[in-house]
Amino acid sequence: MRPPEVVIVFVLSLLAPGVLFTMNNLPGIQKPFLILGTGVVILGSVLLLLHLTVRHNKKVTPLFYVFAEFSFTCMVGLTNALQQDGFISGFMDFYLRMGEPHLSTAYAVMMCYWEGVVHFTIFLTIIHRMFAGKSYRSLGLLWAGSSIGHQIIHIPGVVIGKHGSNIRPAFWRNLPFFLVPFWAAFVLFRTPRVMPVIPADKVAEEQKKHLLSRPVDLLLSLFLLGVMAFCVFRALVVLDCPMDACFTYIYQYEPYLKDPVGFPKVTMLVYFFYVVPLLVILIYGLTMPGCSWILDWTIFLAGAVAQTQWCHIGGSLHSRTPFTYRVPADKRWPVLMLNVLLAVAPVLLALRCHTNPAYFMKPVPKGQTSNKKKTN
């Protein structure tokens, strides 16, 4: 009897540390272009093995290969994080020297933990649901937001940061991992959404309520406005705004924003140019009835902000960050609280939208009950 696809992906992913250990002990392939070429061959071999294993299964879609291949790279990332924090050794030395030296930074270590734990868990869950005939659209959007948020900070951060002068060929293997999540997000957004049908009278009743008569939505809107203000403020800080408040904040509260690795600066600019406009649109969706698109975009944003804030918070406290750039001990709790609130805000918004979606849905014919399902 053939094992389930999720078990196959899990076992293949566990081969990643062994591959890294072997490469670390073969000096002949520890040259920049050979590392890139070997990496391409290994990833191609993983795809080929997956195809040979599942080629007769009619439930296989291109997204399966994306999730399975990314699962393998998640274990590579987790191996790196564990070695950088001293739990293991002898796996990543060659790659840090001749591949991607920036992976030894605090931000990259936290990024690898997120990939190896959160993304890996999401991938296995999605693959299980995919072959069980269950919907995985929301989980897919959560991963897409997280992965895109990760890559639009990771790649520019390396280029403009202190490691930009030491970019080696292996760094460019990140380009497919940058582009594929955009394609996957496009596919997932186009997949029909499945949601419970809500009676027309309940939908009409909810949509008659103004924002002031919906205290939860009002508080959420105010909370999001505060998050937007914080994002704008920190963008001004990393852009060297001469205001006293900006000067005080970067030197006395969050000096990590001026860490020359580049990741903190890019994070703040991504928040300013992408997260803030998206929050404006989502607040609009909270105030205007029938905006069903908010159900997807809240999940996407929650994944993106959770991932980037995990890396940012962890990087600002990690021992691999130089002491002068770490959050001062006497300011740790207020800074930590502000950053946690920023991460929590999109999650709370997504939970609110999905636990009571009547306000965001289009009216349906009377007589239908909420326990039936409809493709919207």
Side-chain angles (χ1 to χ4, degrees):
M1 182 178 178
R2 191 170 60 84
E5 286 73 14
V6 67
V7 174
I8 295 171
V9 172
F10 180 77
V11 172
L12 275 177
S13 300
L14 293 183
L15 296 177
V19 172
L20 291 171
F21 184 82
T22 302
M23 293 181 67
N24 197 58
N25 289 278
L26 293 176
I29 63 171
Q30 295 178 11
K31 297 178 182 180
F33 281 102
L34 282 178
I35 290 175
L36 174 61
T38 305
V40 171
V41 170
I42 291 171
L43 293 176
S45 301
V46 171
L47 272 180
L48 179 60
L49 285 173
L50 287 167
H51 176 68
L52 294 175
T53 305
V54 303
R55 67 184 185 279
H56 297 303
N57 194 318
K58 296 181 180 180
K59 293 182 179 179
V60 173
T61 68
L63 283 176
F64 164 75
Y65 294 104
V66 172
F67 299 140
E69 185 85 339
F70 276 54
S71 296
F72 183 85
T73 61
C74 284
M75 286 298 98
V76 174
L78 184 59
T79 303
N80 175 66
L82 292 174
Q83 175 159 331
Q84 300 315 307
D85 279 343
F87 295 107
I88 58 177
S89 62
F91 291 85
M92 296 294 295
D93 307 81
F94 78 100
Y95 197 74
L96 294 174
R97 287 195 313 269
M98 307 302 292
E100 297 184 78
H102 67 274
L103 289 180
S104 63
T105 63
Y107 185 96
V109 170
M110 301 308 295
M111 176 184 73
C112 289
Y113 275 124
W114 184 271
E115 285 187 341
V117 178
V118 179
H119 282 181
F120 189 62
T121 303
I122 290 176
F123 290 142
L124 294 183
T125 305
I126 288 176
I127 292 170
H128 169 72
R129 294 182 67 86
M130 180 184 293
F131 290 95
K134 299 178 181 179
S135 175
Y136 56 89
R137 187 174 183 275
S138 294
L139 274 175
L141 288 174
L142 185 70
W143 162 76
S146 175
S147 187
I148 291 173
H150 150 218
Q151 291 292 358
I152 63 175
I153 291 173
H154 172 216
I155 294 177
V158 174
V159 173
I160 73 166
K162 69 178 184 180
H163 292 283
S165 60
N166 193 29
I167 292 177
R168 297 181 181 274
F171 170 75
W172 301 110
R173 63 97 189 169
N174 288 293
L175 287 180
F177 293 95
F178 173 76
L179 297 173
V180 169
F182 283 95
W183 170 81
F186 176 76
V187 172
L188 290 164
F189 272 116
R190 293 191 63 186
T191 303
R193 184 191 310 112
V194 178
M195 58 173 55
V197 176
I198 301 176
D201 52 353
K202 183 177 180 181
V203 173
E205 180 184 354
E206 287 292 323
Q207 294 184 350
K208 287 178 181 178
K209 297 178 181 179
H210 297 289
L211 184 62
L212 294 177
S213 60
R214 292 180 284 125
V216 173
D217 292 350
L218 178 61
L219 289 175
L220 264 177
S221 298
L222 295 174
F223 187 14
L224 295 176
L225 287 172
V227 167
M228 289 165 55
F230 186 49
C231 290
V232 171
F233 173 71
R234 291 204 296 182
L236 294 175
V237 170
V238 299
L239 292 173
D240 297 324
C241 175
M243 292 170 55
D244 290 341
C246 295
F247 182 86
T248 300
Y249 185 82
I250 198 168
Y251 282 99
Q252 297 186 19
Y253 287 86
E254 208 168 357
Y256 181 60
L257 296 180
K258 56 187 178 71
D259 189 332
V261 292
F263 300 119
K265 183 173 185 176
V266 175
T267 301
M268 298 307 112
L269 295 179
V270 166
Y271 285 171
F272 181 71
F273 288 109
Y274 296 100
V275 174
V276 169
L278 188 51
L279 286 175
V280 172
I281 296 171
L282 294 178
I283 291 175
Y284 169 82
L286 274 179
T287 60
M288 296 297 293
C291 297
S292 59
W293 46 263
I294 197 174
L295 299 172
D296 292 338
W297 283 100
T298 50
I299 294 178
F300 182 86
L301 181 65
V305 175
Q307 194 279 339
T308 53
Q309 280 299 101
W310 162 265
C311 295
H312 180 75
I313 294 170
S316 68
L317 302 174
H318 200 278
S319 60
R320 284 191 164 271
T321 297
F323 181 79
T324 53
Y325 297 120
R326 291 183 222 162
V327 177
D330 59 333
K331 302 294 193 305
R332 182 167 298 171
W333 284 111
V335 172
L336 185 61
M337 185 61 66
L338 286 171
N339 278 289
V340 169
L341 287 174
L342 196 160
V344 166
V347 176
L348 292 178
L349 178 61
L351 288 174
R352 180 268 173 268
C353 293
H354 285 266
T355 53
N356 185 19
Y359 185 80
F360 312 107
M361 295 180 65
K362 297 177 181 179
V364 296
K366 292 185 178 181
Q368 289 182 314
T369 56
S370 59
N371 61 348
K372 296 180 182 178
K373 296 287 180 179
K374 175 186 176 182
T375 299
N376 185 14

